Amino acid sequence: MNPKAVRRLKASTLNAAGVVVFLAAVFPVYWMVATAFKPNDEIFTTRFIPFPLAPTMEHVSRVLTRGIAGHSVWRYLLNSAVVALGTVLAGSVVALLAATAVARFRFRFRTTFLILLLIVQMIPAEALLIPLFLMVRRLGLYDQLLGLVVVNVGFTLPFAIWMLRTFVAAVPKELEEAAAIDGAGRLVTFWRVLFPLVAPGLVATSIFSFITAWNEFVFALTLINDQGGYTMPVALGFFTSQRSTDWGGIMAASTLMTIPVIVFFLLVQRRMVSGLVAGAVKG
């Protein structure tokens, strides 16, 4: 077999593998959306293609009009949005400053700090649940969304710092030195030179933090006692009882829950894609 045929075979194999991975990732979402519009007698269909024969808005309309557990679905979505956006904003600021310090400065126990970040990331969330509960209650943040934001920020920080550290370290120090020679102070250099170049990494970590906080269940269930303060993942549990499960309602509410994530990604993806190919060039 000639080299050109080998390259074509490798490309075809990679493309086929990519298609398989794409279908495996997208099919559950497609099934969820399709089930949200199925009548009750079609939910447990065994057809290979799960699209409803007679689509209905019954489940979506019921979730929107009746709400969940006596509260509007918009309230749960708003709670989730407050927690997710608060986690993104606070976590991004802290992670960027910490990553800059780790990447630019040399200090004692720097390597130890980086290793501890990895170790903390490996600890299961369930193992931290009791100490976090006691800490939040002692701070007077129990049953408050602010307490949930603080916990989520701490939970997402190790990955965000580690990832942003790579972006900061990739920025040539000569750019900051040139700005200093031109008379720019540390704050101006950070904002005008460093920040635009690490923005793609900041966007990537923001997406991770947003999705993590948006889908978080265990902390929200433990640290929030008032049903009206629940986030959307916890509210989905009200569709399940000891005797039955409202699959149509779960799928409809889950479909509504995915919309803000898609909107958030669409808002930041242009900045992420354009930033990945941007850099400092000599004029």
Side-chain angles (χ1 to χ4, degrees):
M1 185 178 293
N2 58 63
K4 184 179 292 186
V6 173
R7 288 195 297 269
R8 289 180 178 177
L9 179 60
K10 289 183 178 179
S12 300
T13 303
L14 290 175
N15 291 335
V19 171
V20 172
V21 172
F22 174 78
L23 292 177
V26 172
F27 187 76
V29 180
Y30 169 68
W31 190 287
M32 175 189 70
V33 176
T35 304
F37 295 97
K38 284 182 181 180
N40 288 325
D41 56 352
E42 288 188 30
I43 288 181
F44 296 100
T45 181
T46 56
R47 297 193 313 272
F48 178 75
I49 299 178
F51 196 79
L53 297 176
T56 177
M57 292 292 295
E58 174 188 357
H59 305 302
V60 177
S61 177
R62 174 160 50 86
V63 171
L64 291 176
T65 56
R66 298 183 185 179
I68 305 174
H71 298 282
S72 171
V73 67
W74 303 113
R75 180 168 184 173
Y76 297 119
L77 288 173
L78 179 61
N79 292 339
S80 293
V82 170
V83 173
L85 293 177
T87 301
V88 169
L89 295 176
S92 297
V93 173
V94 176
L96 180 57
L97 295 176
T100 303
V102 171
R104 284 292 186 257
F105 303 110
R106 297 294 181 266
F107 51 88
R108 293 185 63 186
F109 306 115
R110 173 175 172 271
T111 304
T112 304
F113 174 75
L114 293 175
I115 295 175
L116 286 176
L117 286 180
L118 294 179
I119 295 176
V120 170
Q121 192 68 24
M122 297 177 186
I123 300 176
E126 292 76 9
L128 302 174
L129 195 58
I130 294 178
L132 285 175
F133 171 81
L134 296 176
M135 180 190 72
V136 169
R137 190 174 64 175
R138 180 168 297 181
L139 292 175
L141 298 177
Y142 177 70
D143 204 17
Q144 297 184 31
L145 295 180
L146 179 58
L148 199 54
V149 170
V150 172
V151 171
N152 280 314
V153 168
F155 190 69
T156 58
L157 267 182
F159 175 82
I161 294 174
W162 187 268
M163 187 171 182
L164 281 175
R165 168 187 168 272
T166 305
F167 280 86
V168 175
V171 177
K173 292 183 178 179
E174 290 77 9
L175 295 175
E176 299 177 45
E177 294 172 355
I181 293 175
D182 291 338
R186 288 186 177 273
L187 184 59
V188 175
T189 302
F190 175 83
W191 181 251
R192 294 289 182 87
V193 177
L194 186 63
F195 180 79
L197 296 176
V198 300
L202 198 60
V203 171
T205 56
S206 295
I207 293 175
F208 165 78
S209 299
F210 184 90
I211 294 177
T212 300
W214 183 265
N215 294 328
E216 201 284 315
F217 175 81
V218 176
F219 293 145
L221 179 64
T222 305
L223 302 179
I224 301 296
N225 185 50
D226 180 19
Q227 290 186 1
Y230 282 161
T231 56
M232 196 64 183
V234 180
L236 292 178
F238 289 115
F239 289 102
T240 302
S241 63
Q242 293 182 350
R243 297 183 178 181
S244 63
T245 300
D246 183 6
W247 292 109
I250 287 180
M251 296 303 178
S254 298
T255 300
L256 293 174
M257 182 180 169
T258 60
I259 295 177
V261 178
I262 296 174
V263 171
F264 179 80
F265 179 78
L266 292 177
L267 290 175
V268 301
Q269 62 89 21
R270 177 176 297 181
R271 175 61 181 171
M272 182 178 182
V273 173
S274 61
L276 287 175
V277 297
V281 296
K282 295 182 179 180

